[in-house]
Amino acid sequence: MTAAPNLLFVIADQWRAGALGFLGEDPVLTPALDELASRSRVLTDAVSTYPVCSPCRAMLMSGQYPHRNGVPFNVNSATAPDVGLRPETRCWSDVLSDAGFALGYIGKWHLEAPVDDDAVYGEGRRDDGKVWDAYTPPEHRHGFDFWYSHGCCDNHAQPHFWVGDAPREEVLRVDQWSAEHETDVAVDYLRTAARHYRERAQRFALVLSYNPPHQPFDHVPDRYRGRYEGRDPRDLLRRPNVDWGTPAAAEAADAAPLYYAAITGVDEQIGRLLAVLDDEGLTGDTIVVFTSDHGMQLGSHGLVYKNVPYEESMRVPFLVSWPGHIEPGHDDLLLGSPDVAATLLGLLGQAGNRPPAMQGRDLSGQLLTAGGPETAGRPEAALYIGPGRENLRLDVRGLRTRTHKLIVEAPPGEPLRHRLFDLVADPYERTDVAGDQPDVVASTAELLCRELDRTGDPWPGRRKVEQELVARSHR
């Protein structure tokens, strides 16, 4: 069993943490992930630092926060033209490429700013007039030498891909469910990588980025739907913070059977990947990670989708397996999105090559049975970044500890707004206790300021928070 492993990193879009069968939160069937969890460290408190697609993905790749990596908003033609993961940013994949790894990327990327030609090729313009899907030039691929990807194509039933060095005009269109097709490609990649690993001792790192269970929800194959159709919506949406009788609850009730069906379908595909690792004798030599970029509200708090600081949107699955090196079990380690890049480098023996600009914490020492050199201790909290009421303004910051969550909104020209949730007494965040627990607000705000300082966050509300703390100390 090698001390220098391979990596299989699987990310599914919009898969909330509770949607794993073994957790018993959502009534969803995930037998493959249940089995993987039995031999994984399951991080029950892993969070999406900014729970929307492009910003989270940029943090996962770069280990930098949005104000550093160039992706403060979703990448589409309606955002500023310079929004996109900068080619000069050193990602964990760049480090592995330099170290001689074979690198593969399959599926959704969504980190490239669209150009005019992207309105013609690929997905084209959507009904809202925006171009979301974009071709990624080879020099923008951050070390991935095998490329089978799209920018952001939401046609799961008939996806398309740019393959290898094909130009923007040469798009491969496929008549197959995207998750199944991408797994077919990944299976072939893993078998070839296994041969090269045996013959040349060349390690590999494969990212498989599924778009489902992201909407459109009706693009899921019929064979998965029957397991959830016809069930009482209140049985599917069991969280007590679902606001029944609202339009959001009605929309969520329609979406839930299909959302869960897509999850079960993706789980089946993940089972195929794990079977290949077993067949090729690679299970013991490969770190397997499963996670998501963000969750989904599904009717909780009167909301359906994401990009809000509630647990349904912010908390994500995070399973990491490396038999003999990572002890299985549940762990409340507070891992945020930027921590993933540095932690992967630590697990893969590349901590010494970590780019200086990488801001995330290397938590590999908290995961490895034997520990790790010079890795971070257990974090006290995880940062939240999000939009306020105005479009394209990141007015909100928050902090999630193991016991509380503080959300602070700083609308321009107005006083700060605080919300505090006691996650122990109120795990569904139904009651704002900021007025009842001022000491917790103050102590958490102090910790928030330290995190903002650590990350160099330019948030204008930072000064207001500090002024409040000073005023409180003089009372």
Side-chain angles (χ1 to χ4, degrees):
M1 192 172 294
T2 180
N6 305 297
L7 173 67
L8 172 59
F9 188 94
V10 181
I11 177 172
D13 200 305
Q14 204 163 287
W15 186 314
R16 66 184 189 178
L20 291 166
F22 67 91
L23 291 178
E25 295 184 28
D26 290 328
V28 63
L29 300 170
T30 56
L33 287 170
D34 294 354
E35 193 279 328
L36 178 63
S38 71
R39 50 187 170 88
S40 297
R41 187 74 60 84
V42 179
L43 301 189
T44 57
D45 287 32
V47 299
S48 176
T49 301
Y50 184 168
V52 73
C53 186
S54 299
C56 179
R57 290 167 181 268
M59 286 186 279
L60 291 174
M61 291 302 305
S62 70
Q64 297 179 9
Y65 287 83
H67 65 278
R68 290 272 187 91
N69 64 30
V71 190
F73 311 108
N74 256 343
V75 176
N76 60 60
S77 60
T79 56
D82 59 345
V83 171
L85 184 59
R86 299 175 180 129
E88 66 271 17
T89 298
R90 291 277 293 169
C91 297
W92 61 263
S93 52
D94 294 298
V95 175
L96 296 188
S97 178
D98 290 348
F101 279 70
L103 286 171
Y105 197 97
I106 300 170
K108 183 175 182 176
W109 179 247
H110 202 195
L111 291 172
E112 186 70 24
V115 297
D116 289 343
D117 282 349
D118 287 318
V120 178
Y121 305 100
E123 188 187 60
R125 292 191 182 276
R126 296 187 181 178
D127 292 341
D128 59 7
K130 299 176 185 177
V131 179
W132 289 79
D133 187 31
Y135 172 80
T136 302
E139 63 271 19
H140 290 198
R141 295 176 185 175
H142 292 278
F144 289 102
D145 51 85
F146 179 87
W147 190 259
Y148 201 103
S149 180
H150 59 87
C152 179
C153 171
D154 282 347
N155 188 346
H156 311 321
Q158 293 179 309
H160 66 257
F161 303 90
W162 283 281
V163 181
D165 293 331
R168 190 186 316 268
E169 297 80 10
E170 294 183 15
V171 184
L172 175 65
R173 302 187 186 278
V174 177
D175 189 16
Q176 186 182 14
W177 190 45
S178 63
E180 182 179 45
H181 180 74
E182 289 158 9
T183 305
D184 289 347
V185 176
V187 165
D188 289 343
Y189 181 92
L190 288 173
R191 293 202 185 281
T192 300
R195 186 173 68 252
H196 292 168
Y197 179 67
R198 289 190 294 266
E199 296 174 356
R200 310 175 191 171
Q202 183 181 30
R203 289 192 282 165
F204 66 85
L206 173 64
V207 177
L208 177 49
S209 177
Y210 294 118
N211 205 350
H214 188 282
Q215 68 271 15
F217 302 116
D218 61 353
H219 286 198
V220 60
D222 291 341
R223 63 184 180 272
Y224 302 117
R225 297 188 185 200
R227 307 177 193 189
Y228 305 98
E229 286 180 337
R231 293 176 61 173
D232 186 337
R234 292 177 185 262
D235 179 48
L236 295 177
L237 302 175
R238 299 174 178 176
R239 298 179 75 82
N241 56 11
V242 175
D243 297 332
W244 292 105
T246 65
E251 184 177 352
D254 289 339
L258 299 172
Y259 176 73
Y260 292 153
I263 283 174
T264 295
V266 171
D267 177 83
E268 182 177 285
Q269 306 310 314
I270 293 172
R272 294 174 59 202
L273 300 174
L274 300 177
V276 172
L277 293 182
D278 284 343
D279 290 346
E280 297 289 345
L282 288 176
T283 297
D285 293 338
T286 305
I287 295 171
V288 178
V289 175
F290 171 72
T291 190
S292 179
D293 52 354
H294 52 77
M296 181 177 178
Q297 290 300 114
L298 268 184
S300 292
H301 298 285
L303 301 166
V304 179
Y305 295 101
K306 65 269 187 177
N307 209 6
V308 291
Y310 294 117
E311 292 287 272
E312 294 82 7
S313 175
M314 185 177 177
R315 196 167 135 253
V316 293
F318 200 96
L319 282 60
V320 54
S321 172
W322 186 16
H325 297 269
I326 295 177
E327 185 176 354
H330 289 202
D331 190 334
D332 65 356
L333 185 68
L334 282 165
L335 174 137
S337 306
D339 301 328
V340 172
T343 300
L344 289 178
L345 292 179
L347 291 172
L348 293 165
Q350 298 295 319
N353 295 321
R354 169 182 170 153
M358 195 170 277
Q359 297 175 287
R361 296 163 290 201
D362 176 5
L363 300 177
S364 62
Q366 302 294 331
L367 299 174
L368 293 168
T369 304
E374 299 181 9
T375 58
R378 293 184 73 83
E380 296 180 84
L383 192 65
Y384 168 82
I385 300 170
R389 298 179 181 182
E390 297 183 43
N391 190 30
L392 300 188
R393 290 192 64 95
L394 295 183
D395 291 335
V396 181
R397 294 295 183 275
L399 205 69
R400 188 195 189 281
T401 70
R402 291 180 183 82
T403 60
H404 288 82
K405 184 186 294 178
L406 177 68
I407 306 299
V408 184
E409 186 173 353
E414 298 181 32
L416 295 177
R417 304 187 185 112
H418 304 85
R419 284 177 288 164
L420 179 72
F421 298 104
D422 185 333
L423 299 177
V424 177
D426 178 26
Y428 298 103
E429 301 169 292
R430 290 179 289 182
T431 304
D432 178 2
V433 295
D436 301 327
Q437 300 185 25
D439 291 342
V440 177
V441 171
S443 61
T444 310
E446 289 177 3
L447 185 55
L448 172 62
C449 288
R450 292 203 296 270
E451 280 294 288
L452 295 174
D453 291 343
R454 180 183 70 84
T455 62
D457 193 318
W459 181 53
R462 163 68 173 81
R463 181 180 297 273
K464 290 183 179 181
V465 173
E466 187 174 54
Q467 290 171 344
E468 280 192 353
L469 292 171
V470 171
R472 175 182 171 80
S473 69
H474 285 80
R475 288 173 189 165

